[in-house]
Amino acid sequence: MKKQIRSSQGYFGRFGGQFAPEVLMPALKEVEEAFLSFINDRKAMQEYDELLRKYVGRETPLYYASRLTDKLGGARIYLKREDLNHTGAHKINNALGQALLARYMGKTRIIAETGAGQHGVATATAAALLGLECEIYMGTIDMARQRPNVFRMNMLGTRVVPVDSGGKTLKDAVNEAYRDWSKTVRNTHYVLGSALGPHPFPSIVREFQSVIGKEARKQILQAEKRLPDEVIACVGGGSNAIGIFSSFLDDDSVKLVGVEAGGMGIKGKKHATRLTPTSYSRPGILHGSFSFVLQDKNGQILDTHSVSAGLDYSGVGPEHSWLCESKKVNYTFATDKEAVQAFTMLCECEGIIPALESSHAVAYCIKQAPQLPRDAIMIINLSGRGDKDIYSVADYLGKTI
Ligand SMILES: *Cc1c(COP(=O)(O)O)cnc(C)c1O
């Protein structure tokens, strides 16, 4: 059967769409058509699968966390170990897929935006692997905060383009990346980093991350001979979450839970919860699609706060807005404090240093697992490893490294 794009003409319910400048419309059309032939091209997909196995290190284990399970005294907890991928997170699944797509389209150059630098490093890695020219847009404030990742990208042969406009962070880097793309689309593909942006990007990113869910479903059926009761993932833009959820969306018995960054609590503005009802979150247009956005009453996009850079964004992927509104997925949040506690517990209990982003999913599990019977099964998508976060955690705990 021919693979199709999942959204209906770019819409998930009333969310999504293609709110892009006129000059980019032909480019988006070209990407959509190329993507459809790519995913239906056996040879192209075989190459992608083979690189996922031999280069990225898939499949990643589904690991039964027995000490964490015993400590919490409730549901059996499994971790989907995306932290064991090359470059340390799920982001490489998408960066590699889109870099192959770029080459498939005959493009010789890729660009991307990055906040914390994780997507920039994944994209720079894929560019080096495939011999593509690569430039990454990054706010100057983020560059200063994330110097090791800037150096990594440079070592991988990528130029990091400083963005000094606006707030000098991710939002501004995205604007510059679009500006570049509208001038260079003839030889350039824009590797968008999460399940965000104008159609067809949310569907492309979902497809390349769906490998997480496909593996997890097969692995839990093998280990437990049944489906899990809950599947939990953190939600920044929403790519690791949609990747693992995608294989369980039709199973009514499986509760899906997306965990957003509750920052310093959701009363004020120091958080990034877009799908948990607050006074600042409502549907609007940001970076090419219609989705829930944190904004003030005049529609000015709000700055967000989270201890984890990867969850610190005012918008969220349109499919999540739809899954939230149609109640197919439950969304909740964990605060900075809860995430750091979860980080510490996983380190001590399992010998795994999780990314602070992933620690939000672990934090939910710490609250929920004890409420569930001992034969219940939870899967946490451990989206990345936490070596990159040791400075933030030390800061938070008032320690110096
Ligand atoms: C970037 C990142 C996230 C957040 O992005 P999503 O698109 O929501 O998955 C989560 N975890 C890790 C480890 C990340 O690097």
Side-chain angles (χ1 to χ4, degrees), residues 361-375:
V362 179
Y364 167 84
C365 195
I366 291 172
K367 282 184 274 189
Q368 182 69 2
Q371 322 287 327
L372 296 177
R374 281 172 190 261
D375 61 353

Side-chain angles (χ1 to χ4, degrees), residues 131-193:
L132 298 166
E133 189 192 334
C134 181
E135 290 190 284
I136 303 288
Y137 286 87
M138 193 169 185
T140 47
I141 290 182
D142 288 335
M143 284 179 75
R145 284 195 287 214
Q146 306 288 342
R147 286 182 53 224
N149 275 341
V150 175
F151 189 70
R152 273 188 196 105
M153 288 183 263
N154 291 153
M155 293 304 293
L156 292 162
T158 281
R159 193 168 84 87
V160 179
V161 187
V163 175
D164 215 14
S165 53
K168 308 177 191 196
T169 60
L170 179 60
K171 227 174 339 117
D172 317 285
V174 176
N175 291 336
E176 285 306 315
Y178 276 116
R179 205 160 293 153
D180 178 316
W181 200 34
S182 59
K183 287 181 289 198
T184 58
V185 53
R186 195 173 309 203
N187 73 341
T188 298
H189 176 64
Y190 177 11
V191 180
L192 223 139

Side-chain angles (χ1 to χ4, degrees), residues 89-91 118 194 234-240 310-311 355 357-358 383-384:
H90 68 291
K91 287 203 170 74
Q118 298 302 113
S194 188
C234 65
V235 182
S239 69
N240 87 87
L311 305 185
E357 291 85 359
S358 325
S383 54

